[in-house]
Amino acid sequence: MLAELINPYYLQVASFILINIILGVSIYITLSTGQLSLANAGFMGIGAYTSALLTLNFDLPIIVGIMAGTLLAGVFGILIGIPTLRLQGVYLAIVTLGFGEVIRVIFVNWESMTKGAVGLSGIPHMGRELLNTVKDLGFDPKVLGLQNNQFVFLAIFLILLAVTVSIIAFFRRQNRSRVGRAFAAIKLDEKAAESMGINITYYKVLAFAQGAMVAGFAGALFAHVLAYISPADFAYHRAVEILIFAVFGGSEVIWGPVFGALFLTVMPEVLRFISEYRYMIYGLIIIIMMAVRPQGLIDVNILNWVKLKTSKRRQKHGTSSQKSM
Amino acid sequence: MLIEQLINGITLGSIYAIVALGFTLVFGVLGIINMAHGEIFMFGAFIGVVVTSTFKGPLWLAFLAAVAVTAAMGYLLERFALRPLRNKQGVSHLAPLISTIGVSILLENLSHHIFGPGNHPFRASFAEISFQIGSITVYLVQIVIFVISVLLMYALSFWLGKTKAGKALRATAENLETASLLGVDVKRTITMTVIIASAMGGIAGILVGMAFNSVTPQMGLSIGLKGLAIIILGGMGNVKGAMAGGLILGLAETFVVVYGDSGYKDAIAFAAIIIILLIRPQGLFGQKISA
Amino acid sequence: MKKQLKKFAQFTALSSLLVLSACGGNQAAGDEDGESSGGVVKADIGVISYISGPGAAYGEAITNGLKLALEEINGKGEVKINLVVEDSAGKQDQALTAAQKLMNSENVTGIIGPTLSTEMNVVGPEADLNGVPIMGTSTTAEGIPQIGDYVFRNSLPEALAIPAAIDKAIKKYDAKKVAILYGNDDVFTKSGYDTMKKAAEEKGLEILTTETFQKGQSDYNAQLTKIKGLKPDLILASALYNEGAVIMDQARKMGIDVPFVGGNGFNSPEVINIAGDAANGLIVATPWYGEKEDDKVKEFVSKYEKEYGKKPDQFAAQAYDALYIMAEALKNAGEADRDALRDALAEVKGFNGILGEFSFDEEGDVVMDPTVLIIEGGAFKEFN
């Protein structure tokens, strides 16, 4: 019964949604201090290439590769973050845009390492590696009534789901902590925040590096889910796509980019005829949202309204349905 | 050979400079980076192709049509993507940047659908005129491009510095509210700025189409990003800086091919953005950034 | 979904029963009976194609070629094929989801496509893992059939096409020194360059310089001026026809008049449309030559033109032959079974299609002789 319900097609789509959600979170973090980073596609590429190269050339376990990719993206985040902090909003956005492109050009030209535009293929696949591992341990997915490929994609989906939920949980917690309040203060008014004794350099670099790490992490996952990457995957268009998750969904609360990534990944899949006009629609969404609702679809008010509704329901039924957000 | 490469570099640089002048005008007045400028430039080139190749029209008509269409696009851009953001409370200073990114994505994909993804040749007999100096072939278009870029630069400097409209423009750039109190029609000034900048993009588009015989929907993004690099190089809002920055980038890109690795040609512009902003944020020729 | 699965199970059970009975019938009663009742194999074949986005023209040609072949094959009645077409938009992730849908929701017996080699790099391993035979009709990069036992292609790989073209050009023009120019941020042109470089080194050519260009670039003067100064006998250019045509135009304007040798991506009548007279002197190797004196080719060209109002290109021709190869293999397999189809495909030898005589080697790669063409006086002609 279970076996028939688990269709790798749906799991595949779900996996891409989860990766996009993580990317949406990555841009949200930097935006929560009022900085716009357009380098997240580049950081994603750093994470993806680092992890792919380490696992391909040194046979390291995937998890080590992913961690290394995440960390390296974070290091680049700090390196780029510290000097750029002297710059104001628009200038920062442009430097990050330039940085993303430089990263891409390096991937294209560093042929001995990255194979240039041809890309890296045969990257260890998260699900297939896991399948081999459990088979070595003497476990056969058929015990659960699963085909091999069903097991592979179910495993990927569950891992990504767990990871995504923990990332969201972590940043929701951080938002309510000292760090989160500092971020909010900086976003509202940098000078006022500074005069209140908040170390804005520290917090801005922190936010920038966190965003870079999360993007690098998503990139590393992307590499091991798709098993193939090329520089074109991390170009300007990817940066814009990530930006749209936040613009459409909203950047005030973490649920905004999460919703944006979810909706904008599902939409072209469900409405196949739309996929041809995908980028035109993206463009229109940005223009309209900026003019009409610059804070994005989901803002604090909507969230409060939903909370109110669910808490009322909770009183009635005594169960939480916050997952519906 | 060196002289030929020098001519190549100056031609490319002049085109970059014209594109950058449009960027710098909008930034100087509005403090906005117009990410859609490259795509407006691309539409100008396409209008040129449509007039000369599809309708077999004369070149002057192509210029007129391109200027008219891109000016109209400039108006629409200002009306629908910039004006709604201007007097809104609580809109982040990033909003216009993001909004124009939206316009650029929309225009790029729109041209995919209207004109098709392929390369469109730009056939104008004017583009074929050339003369021989020793072993070097120089095309008239190359000279025209250089002359137009210099003329535009001087016209713009003169207009901004000496005329009443230009003074109004600079007053608006200094301070929107004060200018408005002093009787400058701010709304009209801003709209006019965006329209003029866009029309300049359209002219640049046709020149590129003629010089390189190649027009594609992707050309906007590439040249838009270059233009961005140039105004940072030359100093934001600085007219002469944009011209100099354009020539520097054009020559640098050409000589990377001559003496180095052509694979890194594109990286120069972006590396320049990063280095300049980190070391000398006001640009090579700028005095100070006005926030 | 459950329903579909059930249907499929019933269908395969039924068809295998039929085949079994047919065999039995053959032995017992004689062949007349067997042919008419159980000989027809019915199968769903999935198609992943680049139908929307900038490269939609490729996908259109491919699906047109497939549809034309489908009509003829089903008309003959030896096998009944049902095509299930999915769009990939030229993106790896979308190609992969399309493949998942075909393999798991539609339960196809085999897959034709996807269009790009990058997509195949992602889809191929997945199909191989699931045991679904997959055949590319336009994937020309190196290493595609080597992905696994279930991965095939009938598209002429660059590794065959480019050396053939270079060989003939060297002989004709007595070339010794070459310059190479390629697009380094595109998979297609980069892998074409790798093959080109290898071929040039093997033939002992002196490579004077290697220049690159990028997408969206419209000014190639710097690179071309440099090449002009080095005076090569030939220019090897790995470019898509869009950029390639502009490069030739600018080169001719500058006074470079040596022949160009291009890869698969350069091979299109569009080069002549864009570059005009400047396109003269382009040499390409092609699996498909529409002017060939061959009845099958003539019939295909006239049918295609009647149906779609334009001349078929290599993408349409390769797709057309691909479905015939699938049909042939299905007939030989005798049942709509993925493993049986794979084994039958691997056996295909000496198939005679519109592209000429075709066989798979042990790895599932192409064995065939390409035709070398040159543009002369504004038209493609056979190059000797």
Side-chain angles (χ1 to χ4, degrees), chain A residues 36 86-87 89-91 93-95 97-99 101-102 109 236-237 276-277 279-280 283 286 290-292, chain B residues 27 33 85 88 93-94 97-98 102 105-106 108-110 113 221 225 232 236 263-264 270 274 277-278 289:
Chain A
L36 174 62
R86 299 190 292 143
L87 306 170
V90 179
Y91 295 88
I94 291 171
V95 169
L97 181 68
F99 174 73
E101 283 297 300
V102 168
N109 281 290
Y236 178 72
H237 280 100
E276 193 179 340
Y277 301 99
Y279 283 100
M280 273 163 78
I286 296 186
M290 276 296 134
V292 180
Chain B
F27 185 85
I33 289 174
L85 308 177
K88 224 169 178 175
H93 53 286
L94 294 170
L97 178 77
I98 298 175
I105 294 280
L106 175 68
E108 184 190 338
N109 290 281
L110 195 66
H113 282 268
L221 176 63
L225 292 176
I232 288 167
M236 299 271 203
Y264 285 96
F270 307 119
I274 297 175
L277 278 184
L278 295 184
I289 293 179

Side-chain angles (χ1 to χ4, degrees), chain A residues 1 4 7-9 12-13 16 108-109 111 117-118 128 149 153 226 228 233 272 275-276 278-279, chain C residues 1-2 52 87 92-94 96-97 100-101 104-105 118 122 126 130 182 184-187 190:
Chain A
M1 268 340 289
E4 282 178 18
N7 185 331
Y9 167 54
Q12 179 91 58
V13 175
F16 285 131
V108 166
N109 281 290
E111 287 176 7
V118 172
R128 283 174 220 152
N149 66 331
F153 284 93
L226 217 55
Y228 170 81
D233 294 331
R272 274 272 169 181
S275 88
E276 193 179 340
R278 188 184 199 159
Y279 283 100
Chain C
M1 206 201 85
K2 232 169 91 183
S52 65
D87 180 21
Q92 297 99 285
D93 46 351
Q94 287 187 44
L96 187 57
T97 41
Q100 294 290 5
K101 195 171 175 185
N104 300 298
S105 289
T118 41
V122 173
E126 199 51 43
N130 288 343
Y182 75 103
N184 74 338
D185 61 347
D186 181 90
V187 194
K190 167 70 170 69

